[in-house]
Amino acid sequence: MPYFRIDHEVSVFAPRRCARDLATSLGFDRRAAIELAIAVTELGSNIVKYGVRGGITVEPSSDPDRGVGVQIIAEDEGPPFCDFEIALLDGCDDRGPLDPMTFLKRHGIGAGLGAVKRFTDTITLEPASDGVSGKRIVVVRYLKR
């Protein structure tokens, strides 16, 4: 269960590669492996932008009904989401729709978590593992969708 500390944009490359390589070793096709790598990149960039400090864990997953998969856990010590469901919508942050005039300043268009949701089969928000501060996003992509 590799854990990758994320403290700079460059820190995202190692977990991205790990997710892609793990997916390939489990039998995912090239496109699915790349989609998982994109999901890791989006989660990692959110840690850098909003999370204060945190990390990503990439590990194999197995479900009795759905089979083998790749689980990605992104955890940070940053502020909680105002509304996680709204943050999953393209063009929104956790408070609602974004003003297009702010995209450049934000370094994004508000589609990152939406992409994570599209490229994985499950996405859940949990309290941080210490139960006190921060948050944890857990996603899984299964080989058989």
Side-chain angles (χ1 to χ4, degrees):
M1 165 164 83
Y3 173 82
F4 302 91
R5 191 170 137 220
I6 305 296
D7 54 8
H8 190 273
E9 292 170 1
V10 176
S11 308
V12 177
F13 289 115
R16 176 187 168 94
R17 182 176 32 257
C18 178
R20 187 190 64 220
D21 292 349
L22 176 59
T24 301
S25 75
L26 294 173
F28 284 79
D29 65 25
R30 184 174 185 274
R31 179 180 178 152
I34 290 170
E35 289 174 350
L36 276 166
I38 291 169
V40 168
T41 301
E42 292 298 342
L43 292 167
S45 69
N46 281 354
I47 291 172
V48 172
K49 289 178 193 175
Y50 313 112
V52 182
R53 68 184 142 269
I56 292 178
T57 303
V58 177
E59 59 191 10
S61 176
S62 183
D63 181 271
D65 296 323
R66 301 181 92 174
V68 67
V70 174
Q71 177 174 271
I72 302 159
I73 302 168
E75 188 167 29
D76 69 50
E77 297 177 21
F81 284 99
C82 289
D83 189 319
F84 184 62
E85 293 303 316
I86 290 176
L88 294 172
L89 301 174
D90 289 343
C92 293
D93 65 10
D94 64 340
R95 289 182 171 85
L98 294 169
D99 176 355
M101 297 304 288
T102 66
F103 288 170
L104 190 57
K105 184 177 80 172
R106 296 183 74 254
H107 303 289
I109 61 171
L113 285 177
V116 172
K117 183 178 178 182
R118 284 187 294 281
F119 292 155
T120 60
D121 296 312
T122 64
I123 182 168
T124 55
L125 176 65
E126 303 175 351
S129 58
D130 67 6
V132 178
S133 64
K135 59 196 166 292
R136 212 170 123 113
I137 297 174
V138 180
V139 300
V140 180
R141 167 88 178 244
Y142 295 100
L143 181 59
K144 296 178 183 171
R145 296 190 91 183

